[in-house]
Amino acid sequence: MPRRPVKRVPQLLAILVLAATTAAVWAAWLGWDQHRDVHPDGSVTGPYEAWQVIGLVLTLMPPLYWAASRGYVAGAVLGVTAGLTVAAYVDWSDDSSGLFMVGVLMVMAGSLVTTVGATAVIASMKKRTR
């Protein structure tokens, strides 16, 4: 079976659209909650609740599926990863300790691994249905 050449312009557009969508979804789910919760026992949690992160992930699934099911696997992986990385950097860059970069790198690595896995599953499911 001959391989199709990679369509560069659609892949680039998929990357840009998914990165912008991902950053907007981050702002909608996580951008507004910036305070930490102090519990009666003195422990501190936050600033995000689990339901916010779950909502972010579930909201990102349809655009990821859209791109991956149309063959824009690189666009799906790089767009979501870039969007989450940039959003985390912008959101956390006011941290005075400088440790925010550790968190940003963890977001980048985790989103890269997760989106590679999700797009691989989506692409393989689409190949089976064809």
Side-chain angles (χ1 to χ4, degrees), residues 17-18 21-22 25 58-69 76 80:
V17 167
L18 280 170
T21 301
T22 302
V25 170
L58 292 177
T59 306
L60 288 176
M61 288 308 292
L64 181 73
Y65 178 82
W66 174 85
S69 66
V80 171

Side-chain angles (χ1 to χ4, degrees), residues 29-54:
W29 282 103
L30 304 178
W32 55 272
D33 192 3
Q34 299 296 320
H35 71 280
R36 298 196 178 275
D37 299 322
V38 180
H39 300 285
D41 64 354
S43 63
V44 179
T45 60
Y48 313 121
E49 299 291 330
W51 64 268
Q52 290 173 286
V53 178
I54 292 167

Side-chain angles (χ1 to χ4, degrees), residues 63-116:
L64 181 73
Y65 178 82
W66 174 85
S69 66
R70 283 162 177 73
Y72 305 131
V73 175
V77 170
L78 296 176
V80 171
T81 301
L84 287 174
T85 303
V86 168
Y89 180 85
V90 169
D91 196 13
W92 300 340
S93 63
D94 61 348
D95 178 38
S96 62
S97 71
L99 290 175
F100 75 95
M101 278 307 296
V102 174
V104 170
L105 290 174
M106 291 174 71
V107 165
M108 182 179 67
S111 62
L112 180 64
V113 169
T114 304
T115 54
V116 165

